[in-house]
Every structure is written in C-alpha cells, then in structure tokens.
Amino acid sequence: MTTTGADHATALTGPWWWVRWRSAVLDVGLALVSALECAAEGIPFARDAGIPVSVGIVFGLLAGSVLVLRRKWPIAVVLVAIAITPAQMGFLMGIVGLYTLAAAELPRRIIVALAGMTFLGTLIVTFVRVRQSMARGDLTLGDWFVPFASLATSLGLTAPPVLWGLYVGARRRLMESLRERADSLERELQLLAERAEERAEWARGEERTRIAREMHDVVAHRVSLMVVHAAALQAVARKDPEKAVKNAALVGDMGRQALTELREMLGVLRSGEAAQRRTATATTAASVAVPLAVVGVAAAAAASRVVAEEEGPWLSELEVLVGQSAAAGMVVDLSVEGDVRSYAAVIEQTAFRVVQEALTNVHKHAAGAKTHVRLAHRVAEIAMQVENEPPPEPASAAAAGLPSGGNGLVGMRERVLGLGGVFVSGPTDAGGFRVSAVIPSA
C-alpha cells in the first residue's frame, strides 16, 4: 500500500508544526548552532558599536535562535538574516534560511526577491568591510580585489543554497506527485478487482440460474409424463393388461430419456468445475508471483466465462414432443405455418423449451384438456403459442399428485426476454390458459 502525503503526515506526527520528530531535532540543533555563532559574532559587534558585550551576546543568541522557525516561517528567517547582515553575524542562518525558502512551495517572485535582497546586502557589507581592511593596511592587494571578494562572497553565500533548495523542492514535489499517482492507480486497480469479482459473482449466479432452468425443463416434463402414465397404468392394470404393458414401456422409455439427459448435464457440470479449479489454481499462482496480477486474472476469468450450450433439442423434435403428450392421454393439435427453416441453436432450444414447459403445465394443471400448439415461421421471427381449453375434470390435476414450484413461467419468460423476444401468458376468456412467445430469428 502506498502512502500519500496526508497519510504520511498522519502516520508520523511530530510536535507543533513539525511533521517528524527527526525534523524537530534537526531544526533545534541548527538553531542552537546558529545562536552560538551569532553570540560569538556579537562580541566584536558590541565592541565596534560601543555597547556592552553582554548585550551583543544576548542579541546574537536571540537572533540566531530564530532559525528554529525555518519550516513554519521561512520568509521571517530570511528577513532576520538580512537584517543582521550589517553586524556580520547569522551566516549559517542566512544559508539555511535561503535553502528552506527555495525548497518551500512559495511563489517564485518571493524567492527571487528575498534572494536578491540577501545577495545585495551581503555584497554591500562585504565591499565595505574589505575596503576598510585595505584602508587599515590589513590587506595589501590591488583595488581589483574589493569587487572580486564582494561578488565571490555574495554568490557563495546566496547561489548554492538557493539552487540546492530549488532542486530539493522540485524533487520533493515530484515524489509527492508520483506517490499520489501510485495511490490513485492502486485505488483504480482495487476498484477493477472489486468490479471483476462482482462480474464473476454475477456470472456464477447466471450460471446457477441457467442450470436450474435446464434441470427444471428436463426433469419436469419427463417426470410429469411418467406420473401421468403411472396413474393411467394403475387405472387400467387389471382391466386392460395390454394397455398397461404399453404404458409401463412408455414410463420406462421416459425414465431412461430423463436419466440420459441428466447424465449429459452432470457431465457438462463436472467439466465446468474442473476448468474452474484449473483457473483458480492459475489465479493463486499468479497472485503469489505478482500480487497486482490477480486483478488481471480475475478480470480475464470474468470476461472469458462462456456458458457452453448443450446439443439440442431442435424444433424438428417438436412432433416427437407432441406425440409423447398425446401418448399420455392429452388431445394435442399441432399446426405449423410458414416455410420451415433452421435457426441458431439457442433460438431453437428456447422455442422448444417454451412449448415443452407449456405442455408440462397443461399436464400439471389441466390434465385431459384439449391443447393447441401453433408454430409460425415468419420473415424475421419465430412465434409459438400453446393454448389449452378448460379441463373436463378440474380436480384431475390434483388427483394425479403433480407438484408445482411456480418457476416454469418465470423460466420461459427469462429465456425469451434474454433473446430480445416477447413473452405473454395468462388465462383465456373460455377458462383455459395461453402461452405465447415471439423470438427474433437474427
């Protein structure tokens, strides 16, 4: 986790205005050294000014101790250093103050103005002092030495701290900018990881819904027909042995078909679980090697999750489906309009499942009712409708003992709407029930 400037300041809080205790100790030490320097330089200043030496020492101590404020008020420190320049004291305070001023986030015009004032004050004081020394005979060099010494001293005390402070300030701001960008990037990566996890969870939920819908469509229809045939078998077992044998054979065939479809579906699930385990293993290995790569792996896994569609059923098997319901005692009328043609696998599967689930509902809720199945092949869509008349005996469905979970219509609606189609269901004026669906062919 990167640490921004705010986090850094919160984590390392020093006394008063200092960010760190280390900074406080450094500033107090520099102020102590500066106070001792100014106190020592205050002795000759007091003699030249004709004041008591103790006053010069106290003045030097007070002036030098101002350096402790360099981080909070760097302008004040530089101004004090400029003010005591004529007394030839505060050289350390001037150098450190200019460095702090240049490194601080202040307007450049203020830095240039104060640096120019320091340069000019040092130049004048040095020029006067060197000329006085030459006049007293302390220096026997030529007149050229006075301006040379003044310029060299002024530049030496002004330019290096200002340039170094500008460099350190620019580098500090660059590091803060890079730290903020790294923190922002990490937040974005965390957001991407959360979104990838949400997408993965959404994909898992969609997969669970699809599996539940498929198992409902496969099991409900077959088992409903088996229950109807078993009830008929129980009714005619003694009266018509041949019909009982025929119904028993139908029950066995439907049971085997249901088991076959379930076995195929479970095989797809097992292969999907194995692939998911391999993906999880690869994700774990990548996360150990490169922590931030987990985000990419999770996003790739969520984006590449594709639901494998099983083969069939097809609309060409619709007559077989209707025949099975007819064999169970239902009167079914199938009509097909338009030119028969093939569609995409998902469209044919959805159309078949809608008709299958509608017939299953007729077996459950309106056993014995005459049912009309209509399929229309149009130019840009395929339409289907399953409508049953009122059952001859309203209690027949309850007598058959067929449970209902209420998920059939929901599953049909989700399938059709998922393909951009229209689904309508509801009772008819005659007391029956109608299921209609229209699916785009493209």
Side-chain angles (χ1 to χ4, degrees):
M1 175 68 72
T2 58
T3 305
T4 60
D7 298 335
H8 191 65
T10 304
L12 302 173
T13 303
W16 295 325
W17 57 83
W18 284 286
V19 176
R20 304 178 183 87
W21 278 96
R22 183 178 60 185
S23 301
V25 172
L26 176 62
D27 288 357
V28 171
L30 289 174
L32 181 60
V33 174
S34 176
L36 294 177
E37 176 205 352
C38 292
E41 294 168 346
I43 297 175
F45 168 72
R47 292 173 181 173
D48 295 340
I51 59 177
V53 176
S54 59
V55 175
I57 294 175
V58 172
F59 175 76
L61 290 174
L62 293 176
S65 61
V66 176
L67 187 60
V68 77
L69 304 175
R70 70 183 187 95
R71 295 181 190 267
K72 190 171 182 60
W73 294 303
I75 297 177
V77 173
V78 175
L79 290 177
V80 172
I82 294 174
I84 63 175
T85 299
Q88 285 190 324
M89 64 174 61
F91 294 103
L92 177 62
M93 183 168 59
I95 295 174
V96 177
L98 285 177
Y99 162 79
T100 307
L101 179 71
E105 296 182 1
L106 294 174
R108 290 295 178 87
R109 62 179 182 274
I110 296 178
I111 299 175
V112 172
L114 292 178
M117 292 172 60
T118 303
F119 174 80
L120 184 60
T122 306
L123 179 66
I124 295 174
V125 171
T126 305
F127 183 87
V128 172
R129 292 295 182 179
V130 172
R131 193 170 186 83
Q132 289 177 352
S133 298
M134 292 186 66
R136 290 195 301 264
D138 296 337
L139 295 175
T140 58
L141 299 174
D143 294 337
W144 59 270
F145 182 74
V146 177
F148 173 77
S150 302
L151 288 174
T153 303
S154 301
L155 288 175
L157 296 177
T158 306
V162 171
L163 294 178
W164 182 250
L166 292 175
Y167 167 75
V168 172
R171 183 176 179 273
R172 183 184 302 160
R173 288 187 289 272
L174 176 62
M175 294 301 296
E176 291 178 357
S177 174
L178 292 177
R179 188 182 296 114
E180 292 177 358
R181 290 177 60 184
D183 189 72
S184 175
L185 178 61
E186 186 169 359
R187 287 195 298 267
E188 292 179 2
L189 290 177
Q190 290 177 351
L191 181 60
L192 287 176
E194 293 175 359
R195 290 181 178 177
E197 182 62 27
E198 292 176 358
R199 292 176 182 175
E201 183 63 27
W202 175 83
R204 287 191 292 269
E206 289 292 319
E207 180 68 6
R208 286 192 294 267
T209 302
R210 188 191 73 87
I211 292 172
R213 187 166 54 236
E214 288 294 331
M215 296 188 69
H216 175 271
D217 293 341
V218 170
V219 175
H221 182 72
R222 301 291 185 190
V223 174
S224 298
L225 292 180
M226 290 172 63
V227 172
V228 172
H229 281 294
L233 176 62
Q234 184 180 4
V236 302
R238 295 180 180 180
K239 299 178 182 180
D240 192 349
E242 293 183 0
K243 190 174 182 179
V245 172
K246 183 178 179 181
N247 287 340
L250 289 175
V251 171
D253 291 339
M254 291 179 185
R256 282 188 291 272
Q257 292 175 4
L259 287 175
T260 301
E261 293 182 0
L262 286 175
R263 188 179 296 112
E264 293 176 355
M265 186 175 298
L266 292 175
V268 173
L269 289 177
R270 291 192 184 97
S271 62
E273 290 176 357
Q276 185 176 4
R277 285 195 297 270
R278 289 193 297 270
T279 303
T281 303
T283 304
T284 304
S287 64
V288 172
V290 183
L292 290 181
V294 177
V295 178
V297 174
S304 62
R305 186 181 300 274
V306 180
V307 178
E309 295 289 344
E310 66 276 4
E311 292 295 331
W314 310 104
L315 286 176
S316 58
E317 304 174 11
L318 201 58
E319 294 183 0
V320 178
L321 178 67
V322 172
Q324 292 175 351
S325 296
M330 179 188 295
V331 180
V332 188
D333 179 21
L334 174 64
S335 62
V336 180
E337 301 175 1
D339 297 332
V340 179
R341 62 183 186 274
S342 60
Y343 301 91
V346 64
I347 296 177
E348 295 207 14
Q349 292 167 18
T350 301
F352 184 91
R353 294 300 188 194
V354 168
V355 176
Q356 183 187 54
E357 181 59 28
L359 292 176
T360 302
N361 288 340
V362 175
H363 284 292
K364 289 182 178 180
H365 307 290
K370 185 177 181 179
T371 306
H372 303 276
V373 179
R374 301 180 181 89
L375 185 67
H377 299 273
R378 300 171 183 171
V379 177
E381 60 188 15
I382 178 173
M384 64 225 67
Q385 185 182 87
V386 179
E387 180 180 351
N388 64 275
E389 299 177 358
E393 299 179 3
S396 59
L402 291 172
S404 177
N407 297 320
L409 294 177
V410 177
M412 286 189 286
R413 180 183 299 274
E414 290 177 351
R415 284 178 177 273
V416 175
L417 296 182
L419 297 178
V422 178
F423 179 84
V424 179
S425 63
T428 62
D429 296 337
F433 199 85
R434 180 187 299 118
V435 174
S436 304
V438 179
I439 303 175
S441 59

